[in-house]
Amino acid sequence: MEMTLRWYGKDFDTVTLEQIRQIPGVKGVITTLYDTKPGEVWSRERIKAMKAEVEAAGLHVAGIESVNIHEDIKLGKPSREQLIDNYIETLTNLGEEDIHMVCYNFMPVFDWTRTELARKRPDGSTVLAYNQAAVDALVPEKMFDSIAGDTNGSLMPGWEPDRLAHVKELFDEYKDITDEDLFENLKYFLERIMPVCDKYDINMAIHPDDPAWPVFGLPRIIINKENIQRMMKMVDNPHNGVTFCSGSYGTNLENDLPDMIRSLKGRIHFAHVRNLKFNSKDDFEEAAHLSSDGSFDMYEIVKALYDIGFTGPIRPDHGRMIWGEKAMPGYGLYDRALGAAYINGLWEAIEKNAKRG
Ligand code: CS2
Ligand code: MN
């Protein structure tokens, strides 16, 4: 594995490349062109400039998170043809610039969903949290009222008006889209992009849906072992792989994380490692990476990655906000740096132990 940190680019991130460079064992960043829109072609020049900036700081670009997928592709609309052509052009430009791992997700309308961005934990840190009752209380009609400025409606944290501009129309478009349709549309997309991935050796790494079940009546398919195996088989090419995100698959306590990892040998191209603390099965918060702070056995997760011979980039995922840091929720420096050091420690111990026999 290669330890990395996610970096949003200097215009958006509070964390600098110089700081990242000083985290022991981190040589690579996972980055993106954060100001591009889904469907847009990423130009060769911009990719080159991004790489040069990262390399000038003594780091390298270990992969992209994310090249986002336009909703029309997920919806299977005729306009997807042009949009997939654009995606292929972006992949070509990334490949020409020697970038070989692309993370993306296939979640309708929203990326991750949390109900609180700063829940206080007993140690005084604040974390992202999810409570199912809070989501259930949020009937879509109320959501749209609140977007229109009705303060009685409850807007979800992190859902800035921008992100929601076309949400109502999108909900309407997804009304008749089933899980089967979504699988079909994903298959169509993957089949179209595999030739360019083969040509440039680009590993596509789908990120799981978070939480790992349908929210607001929207279909969600990248949620468990069965569905992910189906996805691997339906486009059976090693470049069609996954981002194994412990914190996203782990939202569903029925997902056996080490077992899932073992079942994906050769197809995990990127790993997000984080811990969750469950207060009940319907309420969880994002704990420190350390096993004893949350509900997962992090040793078993890292061990499973080691055992399958995982060689791709790995990163700590959402961190807590600690030591007074002000940053994008989940993406401060301090707790993610602690997470990287901890995962590195687990890996070193597992590796030395294995080599000793
Ligand atoms: C990430 C996701 O911050 C996060 O929760 O794990 O947003 C992830 O970057 C995307 O889903 C990948 O496309
Ligand atoms: Mn993740």
Side-chain angles (χ1 to χ4, degrees), residues 271-315:
H272 290 179
V273 177
R274 78 175 128 101
N275 197 357
L276 299 177
K277 165 96 180 125
F278 282 83
N279 298 308
S280 73
K281 87 175 188 356
D282 297 321
D283 184 284
F284 62 81
E285 55 206 40
E286 297 181 353
H289 289 75
L290 190 74
S291 301
S292 61
D293 197 51
S295 304
F296 300 159
D297 187 331
M298 304 306 283
Y299 167 81
E300 292 296 344
I301 289 170
V302 176
K303 175 88 167 54
L305 286 167
Y306 179 86
D307 287 347
I308 62 164
F310 174 68
T311 54
I314 190 169
R315 67 169 182 81

Side-chain angles (χ1 to χ4, degrees), residues 121 123 125-127 286-288 293 318-322 335 338:
R121 301 201 69 220
D123 61 7
S125 61
T126 61
V127 295
E286 297 181 353
D293 197 51
H318 302 175
R320 303 162 305 147
M321 224 36 87
I322 58 173
D335 201 42
L338 292 175

Side-chain angles (χ1 to χ4, degrees), residues 6 65-66 103-105 107 111-112 207 272 317-318 331:
R6 187 179 196 178
E65 179 176 358
S66 311
C103 170
Y104 69 104
N105 72 74
M107 285 178 254
D111 196 328
W112 52 270
H207 190 279
H272 290 179
D317 211 348
H318 302 175
Y331 286 98

